[in-house]
Amino acid sequence: MAGRRLLFVGLDALGAGLVFERLREVMPALGALRARGCHGPLRSCAPPVTVPAWTCMLSGRDPGELGLYGFRLRDRGGYALRTVRGTDVRAKRVFDHLGEQGAHVVVLFVPPSSPPPPVRGVSAACLLHTEGAWTAPASLGPLLEARFGPYVPDVVEGRQRPDEETLLRLLAATRQRFAIARELWRSERPDALFVVDTAPDRVLHAWLRHLDPSHPRHDPAAPIAERVVGYFAALDEQLEALLALAGSDCTVIVASDHGVRPRLGAVRVNEWLLRQGWLVLRIDRPAQPVALRPQDVDWSRTRAWAEGGYHARLWLNVRGREREGIVAGRAFDGVLEALEVSLRELGQQPGVGGAQVVRPERLYRRTLGVPPDLMVFFGGLSMRADGRVGGSQTLVVDADGRGHDDANHDWDGMFVMAGPALRSRGPIEGLRLFDVGPTCLAHAGLRPPEDWLGRVVP
C-alpha cells in the first residue's frame, strides 16, 4: 500500500470549545499537534450518538444507510429493542479498505465492535463488549491482560457514583487503552492504527458542571473539580506518549464523534403520548415512573410509542409492519403528519425549549433496518427524551431515571490533523464527521469510494 503510516485517535465526546479553549493549558500535546497541522469543530451526524457517529465517520455512510439510529435497534416486526452488535455493521470501514489493499491494521475499541471485527491485522472490542474473546485473534487478549491487567471495556458507575473512585477507574481505563495502543504500535508495526477512548465521554457526563461555565450547576470550586481537570491532563499525557512513537513522518488524526452540552432536563415523551391517546397501556398507570415494556402496552389501541435517550425515536404501530399494528397503510401519511404537528406543539410547552422533528427518509440517502418514523431533538439537544411512563403528570422533569448526568450530546465535536503531506494549516471551518473517512484513505494513499459522503482535507 502506497502512502504514509496513519494513526487515528478517537476521543469520545470532546468538543472543540472544550479542548481548544477551556482545557487548552492542560492539554499541551494536543495543542502542539494543532500548531503543526489543521483543526476545527467537526459537525456530527444526526443523531450525534456514539454508535452511529463513529461508524459514519469511518464508513462514508449516513446512519440510514447503516441502519444504525442509536445504541439500540429494533429487529423487524418486533417491539423490543436490543443493543447494537458489531455484526450489525455491514458497510466497509476505512480499515477494511486498507486491509484489502494489503495494509496491516490495528483496530482498537472502535464502536460498535463486539465481537471484535475481523481485519487484516489485529482488533479489540469496544465498550459494548460483554462476553467471549475481546480480541481478534483471541489469543492476543490473554497476552495483553498479562501485561496491562483485565480488560475494562467500560466504566458506567458515574451515573450512580460520580465520586473520586469512579474518576480513578476512568483514568485507569484510559491508561490501559493507550498502553495497549502503544504496545501494538511497537509490536505489530501496522500501516494504520485506529484507537477510540470512550472514557472522556463518561467523565463529561458525570462532571461537566465543573468544566463548563454555562452549566446551570457550574461548580469549579468543588473538591473533585481539580481532579476532573487532572483527568484531561493525564489523557493528554497518554496522547503525547503515543504521538512520540508515531513520529513526525506519520499522518495523525485526532477526532471526536460529537460534543457535549449542559443537560437541562428531560421531556417525558411516552407519558405525553399516553396523555394524548397515542399510547394505551394494558396495565394500570404505574404510581412511579417505569420503563415502557412492550408487554405492558395495549397494541390493539396504540398508534405510536417512543424510545427515549439523547433524542426521541418514535414509531407508528402500522398494520402489516408491526405484529399487532393498527394504523392502516393508506392512513400512514396523515397519521404521521398529525403526530409531527403535535410534537412541534409539545416543543412550545414551558420548559421544553422547542422540538426539532425529523423524518429519517428525508434526512438520509437510504433507510435500512427498522428506522424510526420520526426523530425528535428537544431543546436544541439540551433536553433528554424520557421514555418512562407513570408517576407525576409533569412532562418536563430534571432527570430521565438513568442516574446522575450533567450532559447531553451536542452537534459539534473536534478535529485535529497533522502530517508531512498535509497542505492545510491552521483553523478550518465547515468540517463534517463524514470528511474523516475519505481523509484517512487519501492520506494513506487510496482513492475514497465515489459514493462516500464527505471530502478530503488536503
Side-chain angles (χ1 to χ4, degrees):
M1 184 189 73
R4 299 182 183 273
R5 296 180 83 187
L6 172 69
L7 172 62
F8 174 89
V9 181
L11 301 177
D12 202 287
L14 294 190
L18 181 67
V19 295
F20 296 167
E21 299 171 16
R22 292 194 290 277
L23 293 173
R24 182 174 184 172
E25 292 185 0
V26 300
M27 301 190 76
L30 186 62
L33 193 69
R34 289 173 58 206
R36 66 183 180 91
C38 63
H39 62 273
L42 188 70
R43 190 69 169 182
S44 189
C45 61
V49 174
T50 297
V51 165
W54 287 117
T55 316
C56 290
M57 184 186 293
L58 296 176
S59 72
R61 309 294 179 188
D62 65 40
E65 293 174 289
L66 296 168
L68 301 176
Y69 305 97
F71 268 96
R72 303 203 299 163
L73 53 78
R74 285 180 62 200
D75 289 321
R76 193 169 303 279
Y79 292 104
L81 287 91
R82 63 168 175 83
T83 301
V84 172
R85 297 185 286 262
T87 50
D88 292 316
V89 179
R90 295 177 176 85
K92 293 180 182 178
R93 286 175 276 186
V94 170
F95 41 81
D96 298 310
H97 287 276
L98 294 178
E100 288 178 350
Q101 297 303 312
H104 183 66
V105 299
V106 172
V107 182
L108 304 174
F109 327 123
V110 178
S113 56
S114 180
V119 298
R120 191 177 187 274
V122 301
S123 67
C126 69
L127 78 166
L128 301 176
H129 176 73
T130 55
E131 60 184 6
W134 63 276
T135 61
S139 58
L140 178 63
L143 297 177
L144 293 175
E145 290 193 341
R147 290 200 57 184
F148 306 111
Y151 174 49
V152 180
D154 196 12
V155 178
V156 298
E157 287 82 358
R159 291 190 186 276
Q160 287 73 41
R161 296 197 313 274
D163 55 19
E164 187 172 339
E165 180 182 350
T166 298
L167 184 58
L168 289 173
R169 291 191 64 207
L170 285 160
L171 177 56
T174 286
R175 286 174 170 160
Q176 183 186 61
R177 290 163 190 161
F178 275 89
I180 290 172
R182 292 193 298 270
E183 169 61 23
L184 294 178
W185 182 269
R186 285 187 291 253
S187 64
E188 294 290 323
R189 298 191 57 80
D191 298 296
L193 185 146
F194 301 79
V195 57
V196 171
D197 184 11
T198 51
D201 175 271
R202 300 307 192 194
V203 171
L204 293 171
H205 278 292
W207 296 288
L208 180 63
R209 70 180 67 188
H210 304 302
L211 302 174
D212 189 342
S214 72
H215 201 291
R217 295 176 292 280
H218 183 50
D219 186 9
I224 201 171
E226 184 177 352
R227 296 191 179 276
V228 173
V229 173
Y231 165 84
F232 288 100
L235 170 63
D236 190 71
E237 291 172 358
Q238 295 298 311
L239 176 64
E240 182 179 32
L242 183 57
L243 294 178
L245 286 180
S248 60
D249 62 342
C250 178
T251 297
V252 177
I253 294 175
V254 180
S256 59
D257 54 338
H258 55 76
V260 292
R261 63 168 57 195
R263 184 192 60 78
L264 302 184
V267 180
R268 303 186 65 201
V269 61
N270 272 326
E271 183 64 29
W272 175 81
L273 289 170
L274 186 65
R275 191 178 307 178
Q276 297 292 316
W278 291 91
L279 171 65
V280 180
L281 300 180
R282 66 169 75 246
I283 60 172
D284 293 336
R285 186 176 177 276
Q288 299 296 326
V290 298
L292 182 69
R293 304 186 305 172
Q295 61 266 36
D296 295 335
V297 177
D298 184 347
W299 296 108
S300 69
R301 295 190 291 161
T302 289
R303 292 178 295 160
W305 80 103
E307 163 79 353
Y310 301 116
H311 69 302
R313 290 182 283 167
L314 292 91
W315 289 269
L316 295 186
N317 190 26
V318 180
R319 186 181 304 159
R321 189 182 72 178
E322 277 74 37
R323 283 198 299 261
E324 301 177 61
I326 64 170
V327 177
R330 64 181 179 278
F332 178 88
D333 290 338
V335 174
L336 189 63
E337 183 176 352
L339 179 57
E340 193 172 359
V341 169
S342 293
L343 285 163
R344 291 199 175 94
E345 292 174 351
L346 170 61
Q348 302 307 309
Q349 293 195 23
V352 177
Q356 180 186 358
V357 185
V358 178
R359 296 193 186 192
E361 74 273 11
R362 296 177 181 175
L363 180 64
Y364 305 134
R365 296 192 295 185
R366 298 176 66 191
T367 51
L368 300 181
V370 185
D373 294 313
L374 294 173
M375 299 189 301
V376 187
F377 304 95
F378 290 113
L381 280 179
S382 292
M383 304 292 289
R384 284 276 182 88
D386 184 350
R388 298 175 299 167
V389 294
S392 169
Q393 294 285 338
T394 305
L395 289 178
V396 178
V397 294
D398 178 62
D400 62 359
R402 302 187 185 196
H404 170 88
D405 202 331
D406 272 1
N408 206 37
H409 290 181
D410 204 1
W411 292 111
D412 290 335
M414 64 90 187
F415 176 88
V416 180
M417 181 176 177
L422 184 66
R423 299 197 303 272
S424 299
R425 292 290 187 272
I428 298 181
E429 298 296 329
L431 291 168
R432 298 192 305 156
L433 175 145
F434 299 107
D435 299 334
V436 177
T439 299
C440 286
L441 288 178
H443 283 267
L446 299 183
R447 182 185 298 274
E450 292 185 0
D451 62 347
W452 270 29
L453 293 164
R455 63 185 175 94
V456 174
V457 178

